[in-house]
Amino acid sequence: MSTDRNPLRFAVIGAGMAGLLAGVRLRQAGEQFTIFEKADRLGGTWRENRYPGLTCDVPAHAYTYSFEPYAEWRAYYAKGAEIQTYFQHTADRYGVTPHIRFGAEVVACEWMEDVGRWRLGLSTGEVVEAEVVIAASGVLHHPKMPDIDGMEDFAGTVLHSARWQDETPVDDVRVGVIGNGSTGVQIVTALQSRAARLVHFQRSPQWIMPVPYFEYSEDEREAFRRDPALIDAIRYNKDYWDSIFRFTHAITDTHGPEIAAIEQICLDNLENSVRDPALREKLRPDYRAACKRLIYSWSYYDAVQQPNVDVEREAIVRVEADGVRLADGRLQPLDTLILATGFHADRFIRPTTVTGRDGLSLDDAWTPRPTAYYAVTIPGFPNFFMLNGPTGPVGNFSLIDIAERQWAYVDQLLDLLRRGEARTIEPRAEAHAAYEERRIEAARSTIFGSGCRSWYLDATGVPASWPWSYEAFADAMSAPVMADYAMESPVEAFAR
């Protein structure tokens, strides 16, 4: 490390995709850092989720770090276990693994004004300090249990999809799946050929975007190993990126040609794929495509048309010992009940208690909704940066790309600390308030706010996401507006 830089200690919270990215970049910069991980291995959501059929809905070669193309993907869309392997490969190759403290959950972060550092309390009872905190704890990691009476009365096996156990009985038995987001759709598709009978309980059906699926042969993988340009031809494919731009423009222009094209594709998929008119109507949503997160699948409609599958739209009244009782009085008898009911998407770093300047708690700052200035920083929390934090872009595209752009933004702020030009940095309250006012107004008019229930909505019913185009996000991340940041110089701190 050069002598003209101010030595800093970095605490990174979470060893998932974003935390590993931070680790790679910090190690490349020669920084002192530790990644604190609550579990016994890395991987984030790809460690937590192991259910049958788990697949990323972003093409595998596009779901990679820009600096680490990967020749070993076995199919166009990668299975969860492969992604876990990729992250471990990246951490090992870039020397990040030795910097990870496993089994060390950060339970508290407190800003110490007098010394300009964060004090972190760990689940081990230890206390550590750092000048900078990078919160990379992710979004989808606190399972959401359904509010259904009698769950404890079920005589068979019941579990949440994010707590999958390999011994879960699914072969040649009666299986019920509650929930039909991406997880529920993937589980139903994977278990249809294994279960004796499969019931898919749906509160509301989903629009299904048809996508191609194919496996890569060993010869193709060998070609990728020899020539990384073949990988780049896939991950930077113009059609793929045009689809991303189309999607983000569709989100923001709810009467434009892009959303019309998406809706037509999904409608044609339903009309042309489902033969039975009664089942087709069961599967027809009553909201616009992309209001909920679009489901990408190449085989769900095929699976639910098999004779051993029943799509159940009747409301669930309660769970009983032998199965699920419906509002019309029927009992769906089951041996195994799988809860694909999602996550508490508003938790982020919580339940870690975070206390900023003047005793400000993150819970108070995030009332009524989690928010961050351009999804990265929070007023009152100096030297505290988030990757894939609240109000960031959401959709059917790679969050690795989003995190890399956010890191480029954060790194420019960190340079001020490194050079000693600032002791602390945080967004001005008025800049954050103006951002939120603009964002909320724009978010209400996005497709996410067009009239459906989804995990994209915050507690007040406002879409909790970036409401502008991908290009606008890339532009915002290219350079912070320094006038929107409050910085305390070392001289000011000494005088105080």
Side-chain angles (χ1 to χ4, degrees), residues 219-231:
D219 287 345
E220 287 173 310
R221 290 195 296 275
E222 179 58 32
F224 291 145
R225 296 178 196 120
R226 291 195 309 266
D227 185 3
L230 296 175
I231 297 175

Side-chain angles (χ1 to χ4, degrees), residues 49 134 160 252 255 262 366 370 379 423 432 470 476:
N49 290 277
I134 308 294
H160 192 280
T252 56
H255 300 289
I262 289 173
W366 280 359
R423 174 180 179 258
H432 174 252
Y470 177 94

Side-chain angles (χ1 to χ4, degrees), residues 10-24 26 33-48 65 87 91 96-97 99-107 109 120 122 132-139 141-142 348-350 352 384-388 403 407:
F10 292 79
V12 180
I13 301 176
M17 173 274 290
L20 296 177
L21 167 67
V24 170
L26 289 171
F33 72 96
T34 301
I35 301 175
F36 297 96
E37 171 54 56
K38 63 183 179 182
D40 60 358
R41 60 194 183 111
L42 57 76
T45 191
W46 303 106
R47 176 198 64 237
E48 300 280 305
Y65 299 111
F87 286 144
V96 172
T97 305
H99 292 266
I100 304 174
R101 284 277 314 273
F102 292 106
E105 181 178 5
V106 177
V107 297
C109 293
L120 285 71
L122 306 183
V132 179
V133 170
I134 308 294
S137 51
V139 184
H141 57 109
H142 297 294
F348 295 97
I349 189 175
R350 297 178 292 182
T352 301
F384 185 91
F385 306 93
M386 302 192 75
L387 297 178
N388 287 322
W407 182 261

Side-chain angles (χ1 to χ4, degrees), residues 370-433:
T371 179
Y373 176 71
Y374 282 89
V376 174
T377 53
I378 309 170
F381 296 83
N383 300 357
F384 185 91
F385 306 93
M386 302 192 75
L387 297 178
N388 287 322
T391 76
V394 294
N396 300 84
F397 43 75
S398 174
L399 288 183
I400 296 180
D401 175 68
I402 298 302
E404 288 201 36
R405 291 186 183 277
Q406 289 176 326
W407 182 261
Y409 178 98
V410 168
D411 206 36
Q412 294 175 67
L413 299 175
L414 295 178
D415 275 340
L416 299 171
L417 304 177
R418 291 170 175 138
R419 294 194 300 262
E421 296 176 22
R423 174 180 179 258
T424 67
I425 187 166
E426 64 190 278
R428 299 182 185 277
E430 59 271 22
H432 174 252

